[in-house]
Amino acid sequence: METKKFFSLSLDSIESATAFVRDLLEKYNCTKMDSVRAQLFVEETIVYWKKDSEENEKFEISLRKRFKTITLSMNYWGEQSNPLTLPEETDEAEMDLIGQNILIGLSSVTYSYDNGCNNVSYTLKEKPINPAMTTAIALAAAIIIGLGLLHFAPATGVLIASAILTPLSSIFFGFLNAVVIPVLFLSAIGSIFNMDNISQMKIIFKSLLKWCVGIMVLASVIALAAAQLFYLGNSSAASSGGNSDLWSQVGKMIFGIIPANIIQPFLDGNTLQIMFLAIIGGIVMLTLKGRFPFVTKIITEANLIFSTILDAVCSLMPWVVFISILNMMVSGNGGALFGAIGVIALILVCFLILVLIMLLSVALIEKMSPIAYLKSAAPFLLIAFSTASSSASFASHNATAIFKQDIRDYVVNFSIPVGVLFNKQTVIIYMVLTSLFMAGYYQMTFSIGEIIPVIILCMILSVACPPTPGMGAFLFTIAFNLMGIPLEGLALAVSIDIFLDYPCTAIQVMITNIGMLHTEHMLRIKESKAI
């Protein structure tokens, strides 16, 4: 389904164009925040294109829906005019570029120029049903029905498991495994070459990047320590053969990441080598700075296609959870459900340690008591925690940072969208610990040397993975393939992931906010030295 309409390219058209988009999106089940962002996208694009346009020129707005993905596009026929590229040198004040920085910061915006047509597209999604609620219903239904079958008809339960449940879950996990590899590659390469849009703000981005990498390393250390204490245990001595073998495995992992040819990693499903190719490809595209827009367009469209497929697959996850958990129950393996309580508690303790260290940085660098900070950040952190949506906290986060925390507006407008992309470090902790928990369920043991490559992969995935609902299955499929864990364990792993999504989102928003505080602190120091 596609809807199109032409408008005059003038500032007077902003109100009618944004109203047209707002009315269209009301017909779909979009969130209010997505609607506001879409209107902002339209407004800032009109403002940018109007600067160099002639009188009486027109542009087109079109909206197209594929499954649950909505693409809002704007087309302008004329000279090439990319609103996603800031000038290298400009006489304009930073305040005059805020609108363009906001447009760039939306992160779901792509630009192409083909046959004299400037196309800017913004991708958004229909508002999903709360995944925690649907998963909880599926989980409860599977447990109740499974207990009933075990008590009243155990033979029937076994027959249903072998004839229906196991084949269905195998088909789903096989298809998911096939989709994951291209999504991983395209998401990673896209996240790198799109950095060209934000790299102009070098000082701010450098500060945010240091903070992001620091928290990423900290989360990895916490995950590794917890794994060593509770899951690896004595297996490191038995299977790794000592410290020399540990470094031997690390060396093999480092040199083995470089593939012998481009095709083989995709045939073998070698995720580390695929990530290496994506990083190299993304850096090359970033260096060339859009000299091959056709290639960029192919990657962007392919990413959209596979992401749409993945969304459709992940929308079936509550049914998959029901089938897999029911299969587990009637097979007599329901004890793993109760064992999951322990790993959830361990992950929450690790989250708490991460938060306490971040609050310590606020006390040491900003000279602010943790209690005072939490009081100032409470409005948007509570929204993020209660909705498991960083987008829902966007308006409150923005207002709190500017008016209560006294962070300059262009830092806020740049940092919050970038933080949504990069600050997913909690992924490292829950992926590593949940994967090891599921490995224990299948009686698999790992040494610390074997876990280091997994942690490195999780660090990369925490950046490369799109910040959209349903990515738990995507992430765990990659980790399970690397560790050799049967994909049938995905249902329980994804269930754990969905319920941890609430504290994860709040912590990720906190990471972004504290990063902004430290960036503002750094900028003020530079300004004081310049005086």
Side-chain angles (χ1 to χ4, degrees):
M1 179 178 180
E2 186 171 10
T3 306
K4 300 180 179 180
K5 186 174 182 180
F6 281 92
F7 295 87
S8 173
L9 186 54
S10 66
L11 299 182
D12 294 335
S13 298
I14 290 178
E15 184 175 351
S16 58
T18 54
F20 172 72
V21 170
R22 182 178 64 249
D23 293 342
L24 276 179
L25 293 180
E26 284 180 354
K27 298 177 182 178
Y28 301 101
N29 193 21
C30 293
T31 63
K32 184 177 180 181
M33 180 57 65
D34 277 341
S35 179
V36 171
R37 288 182 174 182
Q39 294 172 61
L40 179 62
F41 157 75
V42 171
E43 178 180 339
E44 297 303 332
T45 303
I46 294 173
V47 170
Y48 183 86
W49 280 346
K50 175 57 183 171
K51 294 178 183 178
D52 301 320
S53 67
E54 304 292 338
E55 291 293 329
N56 301 321
E57 289 196 271
K58 293 185 177 182
F59 68 94
E60 178 191 62
I61 295 180
S62 65
L63 188 143
R64 178 177 57 190
K65 181 184 177 185
R66 299 172 179 169
F67 298 105
K68 294 187 177 183
T69 300
I70 300 169
T71 303
L72 177 63
S73 299
M74 297 180 66
N75 298 310
Y76 162 54
W77 286 264
E79 296 295 325
Q80 186 169 359
S81 180
N82 183 3
L84 302 184
T85 301
L86 290 170
E88 294 284 353
E89 296 181 4
T90 179
D91 296 330
E92 295 183 72
E94 288 286 345
M95 290 293 294
D96 297 330
L97 296 174
I98 286 178
Q100 196 178 349
N101 283 324
I102 293 174
L103 181 60
I104 292 170
L106 286 173
S107 78
S108 297
V109 178
T110 59
Y111 170 81
S112 64
Y113 184 72
D114 188 23
N115 295 325
C117 177
N118 294 276
N119 173 272
V120 186
S121 297
Y122 177 44
T123 303
L124 57 159
K125 300 180 184 299
E126 284 188 297
K127 183 179 178 181
I129 301 174
N130 190 326
M133 181 181 298
T134 55
T135 303
I137 293 173
L139 193 63
I143 293 173
I144 293 171
I145 295 175
L147 291 174
L149 286 173
L150 283 175
H151 183 73
F152 296 106
T156 302
V158 173
L159 180 63
I160 291 174
S162 60
I164 300 175
L165 301 180
T166 300
L168 283 177
S169 62
S170 298
I171 291 172
F172 175 84
F173 293 129
F175 184 66
L176 178 62
N177 192 38
V179 174
V180 155
I181 296 300
V183 171
L184 170 66
F185 177 77
L186 294 168
S187 298
I189 196 171
S191 67
I192 295 172
F193 77 71
N194 280 332
M195 285 173 60
D196 186 45
N197 298 334
I198 59 176
S199 61
Q200 309 295 335
M201 302 183 70
K202 294 178 181 178
I203 297 177
I204 297 176
F205 185 68
K206 184 178 179 180
S207 174
L208 293 173
L209 183 62
K210 287 181 179 178
W211 172 251
C212 171
V213 172
I215 297 299
M216 188 181 296
V217 172
L218 177 62
S220 301
V221 171
I222 293 173
L224 186 60
Q228 178 65 35
L229 287 173
F230 294 95
Y231 291 110
L232 302 181
N234 295 326
S235 65
S236 61
S239 58
S240 69
N243 189 57
S244 61
D245 190 51
L246 164 61
W247 290 109
S248 174
Q249 292 184 54
V250 173
K252 288 180 181 178
M253 182 271 298
I254 293 174
F255 292 108
I257 201 173
I258 303 175
N261 60 69
I262 296 177
I263 304 299
Q264 198 61 42
F266 295 92
L267 297 178
D268 296 339
N270 190 318
T271 50
L272 286 176
Q273 291 183 348
I274 290 170
M275 291 302 298
F276 175 81
L277 291 175
I279 291 171
I280 295 299
I283 291 173
V284 170
M285 295 183 68
L286 183 63
T287 304
L288 294 176
K289 292 186 177 180
R291 289 181 59 186
F292 301 100
F294 178 70
V295 177
T296 302
K297 186 175 181 179
I298 289 177
I299 292 177
T300 302
E301 289 297 319
N303 193 16
L304 177 60
I305 291 170
F306 279 100
S307 296
T308 303
I309 295 174
L310 185 63
D311 286 340
V313 173
C314 290
S315 67
L316 300 174
M317 190 51 66
W319 289 101
V320 177
V321 168
F322 173 79
I323 292 171
S324 299
I325 299 302
L326 179 58
N327 194 11
M328 185 182 296
M329 292 293 297
V330 296
S331 301
N333 298 319
L337 292 172
F338 301 100
I341 297 175
V343 72
I344 291 174
L346 177 60
I347 292 171
L348 291 176
V349 170
C350 292
F351 286 172
L352 179 60
I353 293 172
L354 183 64
V355 168
L356 291 175
I357 294 175
M358 287 194 295
L359 291 176
L360 180 63
S361 76
V362 172
L364 295 177
I365 298 174
E366 308 299 331
K367 309 301 180 185
M368 179 190 300
S369 75
I371 294 177
Y373 168 77
L374 290 174
K375 285 182 178 179
S376 68
F380 61 84
L381 290 181
L382 287 174
I383 292 173
F385 183 81
S386 59
T387 62
S389 169
S390 56
S391 297
S393 65
F394 181 86
S396 177
H397 192 180
N398 191 292
T400 300
I402 293 174
F403 298 111
K404 290 186 178 181
Q405 297 177 330
D406 200 24
I407 303 173
R408 58 197 75 191
D409 50 5
Y410 66 83
V411 173
V412 174
N413 293 328
F414 178 78
S415 302
I416 293 179
V418 172
V420 172
L421 289 175
F422 288 94
N423 289 327
K424 302 187 291 291
Q425 294 88 335
T426 51
V427 166
I428 302 169
I429 295 175
Y430 74 70
M431 271 193 67
V432 171
L433 297 181
T434 304
S435 297
L436 286 173
F437 166 74
M438 293 308 305
Y441 170 72
Y442 289 105
Q443 298 181 344
M444 301 172 64
T445 58
F446 292 90
S447 69
I448 189 171
E450 292 167 331
I451 292 303
I452 288 178
V454 178
I455 290 180
I456 293 175
L457 177 64
C458 292
M459 292 172 70
I460 298 172
L461 289 175
S462 69
V463 177
C465 178
T468 55
M471 286 300 107
F474 167 87
L475 293 169
F476 282 113
T477 301
I478 298 169
F480 280 24
N481 282 332
L482 180 64
M483 300 172 71
I485 301 173
L487 292 181
E488 287 76 12
L490 278 177
L492 184 55
V494 171
S495 300
I496 295 172
D497 164 62
I498 288 175
F499 292 109
L500 287 172
D501 195 25
Y502 294 86
C504 278
T505 304
I507 294 171
Q508 289 161 8
V509 172
M510 177 185 285
I511 293 171
T512 299
N513 183 255
I514 294 178
M516 287 193 297
L517 281 174
H518 294 338
T519 299
E520 178 66 27
H521 180 82
M522 178 270 298
L523 290 174
R524 291 182 180 179
I525 291 176
K526 284 182 176 290
E527 290 169 354
S528 64
K529 290 180 178 179
I531 296 176

